[in-house]
Amino acid sequence: MTRRFEGRTAILTGASRGIGLAIAERLVSEGAKVVITARKQEALDAAVAQLGGPEHAIGVAGHTADIDHQTEVVTRAVDSFGSADLLVNNTGINPVYGPLVTLDLDVARKIVEVNCLAALSWTQQVYRAWMSAHGGAVVNVSSVAAVRPAPGIGLYGASKAMLTHFTEELAVELGPDIRVNAVAPAVVKTRFATALYDGREDEAAAAYPLKRLGVPGDIGGAVAFLLSDDAAWITGQVLVVDGGVTLTGAG
């Protein structure tokens, strides 16, 4: 494994498990220090231990949309590890399933707040505290549900489409010293996505040209690439990581 991130610090939201933790593991394996967030400190403590302990990682519990929490996390990153070079906006929620026409608008507002506005706010915080003077890279975790209609999870998909647009706008605003990209996964085998494949994984995977669902490490590798200097001439892009399912019209 290379040491592409030696001397760099990454902040990752929603990273006590699943995709977020897999991204953190990949970054640490390549030399980064990481500050991870989630709602529960106990889960974060377990994740920090998995990442190699406080020499490599810090876990700070809080609500991702809470401005004070965001400020605390960014401050901890700079004070503890000396920088805040990389940001991964991974937190996402999808608390409802059903048509848009009957969706509770308070729930809709919450989804947009967490999936979109929080990601923008995290980017603002890191920009002010570090990246405006030192540069950096941001990756937003979107979804293939943002690419085309996703019946049953339409507001989730719409929120991720907004996040994609934020990615493009920020890439234009923040260049040349800050790059902003996104990944758009299909179904990845995490607790968050269990309802999409539980008890019928083979059936769900059959539509994928690669004949399997994703695993968190698939996304970790893609995000690490976009954050690294290997992607130095890439900004404002959305990398679809989907096992080929969007090619088939079935995903």
Side-chain angles (χ1 to χ4, degrees):
M1 191 69 71
T2 66
R3 304 290 289 180
R4 292 185 293 185
F5 302 110
E6 196 79 52
R8 298 184 189 181
T9 304
I11 294 171
L12 303 96
T13 69
S16 64
R17 56 183 172 87
I19 289 173
L21 181 56
I23 297 168
E25 289 178 318
R26 182 60 179 263
L27 296 182
V28 168
S29 74
E30 296 194 41
K33 308 295 186 183
V34 299
V35 181
I36 60 175
T37 78
R39 289 175 294 174
K40 297 179 180 179
Q41 190 63 50
E42 183 178 358
L44 285 167
D45 291 343
V48 166
Q50 187 171 329
L51 291 166
E55 178 183 349
H56 302 282
I58 296 170
V60 185
H63 192 288
T64 192
D66 184 333
I67 298 293
D68 291 338
H69 169 62
Q70 296 170 2
T71 301
E72 178 188 6
V73 170
V74 176
T75 300
R76 288 280 297 277
V78 175
D79 289 350
S80 299
F81 295 136
S83 64
D85 312 282
L86 312 170
L87 172 65
V88 179
N89 286 308
N90 175 63
T91 302
I93 62 169
N94 183 37
V96 293
Y97 183 89
L100 287 175
V101 73
T102 59
L103 180 65
D104 185 313
L105 293 183
D106 287 334
V107 174
R109 292 184 186 97
K110 188 67 173 180
I111 293 171
V112 171
E113 178 186 29
V114 172
N115 293 1
C116 304
L117 298 182
L120 176 59
S121 182
W122 277 104
T123 305
Q124 292 173 338
Q125 294 272 359
V126 175
Y127 175 80
R128 288 193 290 263
W130 185 261
M131 290 187 185
S132 61
H134 304 279
V138 178
V139 172
N140 297 317
V141 178
S142 182
S143 169
V144 293
V147 176
R148 61 189 185 187
I153 56 171
L155 204 288
Y156 175 78
S159 73
K160 291 298 188 176
M162 181 183 288
L163 184 61
T164 294
H165 194 76
F166 281 176
T167 299
E168 296 169 345
E169 292 283 356
L170 288 166
V172 172
E173 291 183 10
L174 299 181
D177 297 321
I178 301 169
R179 297 183 301 104
V180 186
N181 290 290
V183 293
V187 177
V188 176
K189 291 165 56 176
T190 64
R191 188 186 308 175
F192 179 80
T194 298
L196 299 176
Y197 66 87
D198 190 35
R200 56 181 196 91
E201 183 176 337
D202 290 343
E203 177 187 350
Y208 288 65
L210 295 185
K211 301 305 179 189
R212 69 173 177 87
L213 302 181
V215 296
D218 293 323
I219 312 307
V223 172
F225 164 68
L226 289 173
L227 290 172
S228 77
D229 291 340
D230 291 331
W233 208 44
I234 300 174
T235 197
Q237 303 304 305
V238 180
L239 177 59
V240 175
V241 187
D242 71 342
V245 72
T246 53
L247 302 174
T248 69

